[in-house]
Amino acid sequence: MKKNTIDEKKNLRSFSVLRAYLTLPFHPRAVSAVYPLFHVIIKDFFLLQFLEKWHILKIPVVHVDHPLDKKVPFTPERVGIYFDFINIWIRPLSMLLSRFGTKKGIVLCREWLERLKTTYKEAAKFYRFSLSTTERPKYFKSPSFLKIHLLDPHYCCVPSLHIAIVVLCFSFYRDLFSREGFGEEEKERWNKELYENAVAIGETVLYVKQHSVNCIPAALYMMTKIHSDIISTDTCIDFINALFREQTDIPNEDKMAINSHIQYMYERFYLEGLHYEDWREPVQRWISSYEKK
């Protein structure tokens, strides 16, 4: 097994995403994981929403806004953080290819891609029961927001795939770093980087008004059910408590109210879910009866 030496002082942002983009879609041992993932994302996320927008599908669409959403100020300059939810998991793939070489690196990359595919497929099962949306500001002053409004019909809010993916990312690599023998300094630095980036993205889905506080707990609950070997209830509670901890533009009482609501809803879904084999049951029951206060 090839294992290259990597400067322990490097952060994950220093790894170019191009290595992963230019290797995984074309390598014979990776394509069987890459293209099924592409297929699921296109069919069960983008196409699903556009078919609803074009009135071809007739899935119910529920507005899941909550009054607490207004406690988070619309901050369009954070949109770059919002879009980083893709490269947050692409960069570590480039790191794996650099550290282990193509043969071993692709095995580990495939493991991530399979988990990501599972996440999209499970979320899509819920979306086919009920779609959901929130009120978005009609803000078109930057190319990033033009892209959002053009490419995102905004019907897949609950559960939030942004939240699901960033939590999966730091949880997956925390586990991988331990079992693949990464050094203590590397683990500490990269786990911290991934976690802080995940929290920033988790906050930003509310800052740029792409999600409601109601979208976050459903995603966390889903992840504890479908990836329970690496994501625990403690993982999710800690993540909730980290949200907005370092932000100064929201009063402390509002931070507490937001986090308390997210934690309450997460615990509600989790406890109700103990009585069902299908993780979707408690979220389906909630969204079917949800009324904005």
Side-chain angles (χ1 to χ4, degrees):
M1 177 186 74
K2 180 181 178 182
K3 185 173 181 178
N4 294 335
T5 300
I6 290 178
D7 181 0
E8 289 186 350
K9 302 298 183 184
K10 292 185 74 169
N11 58 36
L12 290 170
R13 285 187 177 274
S14 66
F15 291 92
S16 172
V17 297
L18 287 177
R19 179 157 190 173
Y21 283 128
L22 295 176
T23 301
L24 296 176
F26 309 105
H27 195 281
R29 297 175 64 241
V31 293
S32 62
V34 172
Y35 290 101
L37 172 62
F38 286 171
H39 175 75
V40 167
I41 293 172
I42 293 169
K43 178 175 72 74
D44 291 334
F45 185 73
F46 287 106
L47 185 59
L48 180 70
Q49 294 184 82
F50 277 103
L51 290 177
E52 179 72 25
K53 181 179 181 178
W54 297 331
H55 306 292
I56 297 172
L57 293 179
K58 303 295 182 181
I59 303 172
V61 180
V62 178
H63 283 256
V64 293
D65 306 270
H66 190 279
L68 286 171
D69 299 333
K70 297 179 181 178
K71 303 293 185 181
V72 182
F74 177 54
T75 315
E77 56 267 27
R78 292 179 183 262
V79 72
I81 299 173
Y82 174 80
F83 276 117
D84 197 47
F85 92 104
I86 297 175
N87 284 338
I88 191 179
W89 59 265
I90 296 287
R91 289 188 292 266
L93 298 181
S94 291
M95 179 274 293
L96 293 176
L97 293 170
S98 177
R99 182 185 184 90
F100 292 101
T102 303
K103 184 176 181 180
K104 172 67 174 179
I106 281 182
V107 172
L108 299 174
C109 291
R110 282 176 56 91
E111 186 179 342
W112 162 262
L113 295 171
E114 290 295 337
R115 291 223 186 228
L116 189 59
K117 183 179 72 173
T118 296
T119 301
Y120 269 94
K121 289 182 72 171
E122 288 294 324
K125 290 179 183 179
F126 183 84
Y127 299 149
R128 292 185 182 279
F129 170 80
S130 176
L131 295 168
S132 50
T133 192
T134 62
E135 295 296 329
R136 295 191 293 185
K138 292 180 173 59
Y139 185 87
F140 306 101
K141 295 182 180 180
S142 77
S144 294
F145 278 93
L146 288 173
K147 186 190 301 183
I148 287 174
H149 287 282
L150 179 65
L151 299 179
D152 181 10
H154 196 52
Y155 290 141
C156 293
C157 288
V158 174
S160 164
L161 277 166
H162 264 73
I163 298 298
I165 289 169
V166 298
V167 171
L168 177 63
C169 185
F170 75 73
S171 300
F172 175 82
Y173 284 101
R174 180 176 56 195
D175 176 71
L176 184 146
F177 293 158
S178 292
R179 58 186 167 85
E180 293 297 330
F182 282 68
E184 291 302 318
E185 190 174 354
E186 278 180 321
K187 288 193 292 186
E188 182 178 354
R189 177 179 296 106
W190 289 349
N191 281 331
K192 182 175 185 289
E193 180 181 349
L194 287 171
Y195 193 79
E196 289 178 350
N197 290 346
V199 170
I201 293 168
E203 295 168 346
T204 301
V205 301
L206 298 180
Y207 275 121
V208 301
K209 303 302 175 182
Q210 279 295 106
H211 282 294
S212 164
V213 294
N214 282 328
C215 308
I216 297 174
L220 295 173
Y221 162 66
M222 176 182 75
M223 299 308 279
T224 57
K225 300 296 284 187
I226 67 175
H227 299 293
S228 59
D229 58 323
I230 58 172
I231 301 176
S232 67
T233 54
D234 286 343
T235 302
C236 295
I237 297 300
D238 289 344
F239 180 77
I240 293 167
N241 289 333
L243 294 173
F244 303 107
R245 183 184 292 156
E246 305 299 325
Q247 304 304 330
T248 59
D249 54 354
I250 303 174
N252 286 334
E253 59 268 28
D254 291 340
K255 293 182 188 179
M256 291 179 61
I258 290 167
N259 292 12
S260 294
H261 174 78
I262 295 171
Q263 183 167 335
Y264 164 75
M265 292 298 298
Y266 169 75
E267 292 177 347
R268 170 183 169 177
F269 291 146
Y270 185 83
L271 292 174
E272 290 183 14
L274 295 176
H275 302 287
Y276 302 103
E277 292 185 6
D278 189 335
W279 70 267
R280 294 173 293 169
E281 284 284 347
V283 189
Q284 289 175 343
R285 291 164 63 89
W286 168 79
I287 205 167
S288 295
S289 61
Y290 184 68
E291 294 182 8
K292 291 183 291 182
K293 300 296 187 290

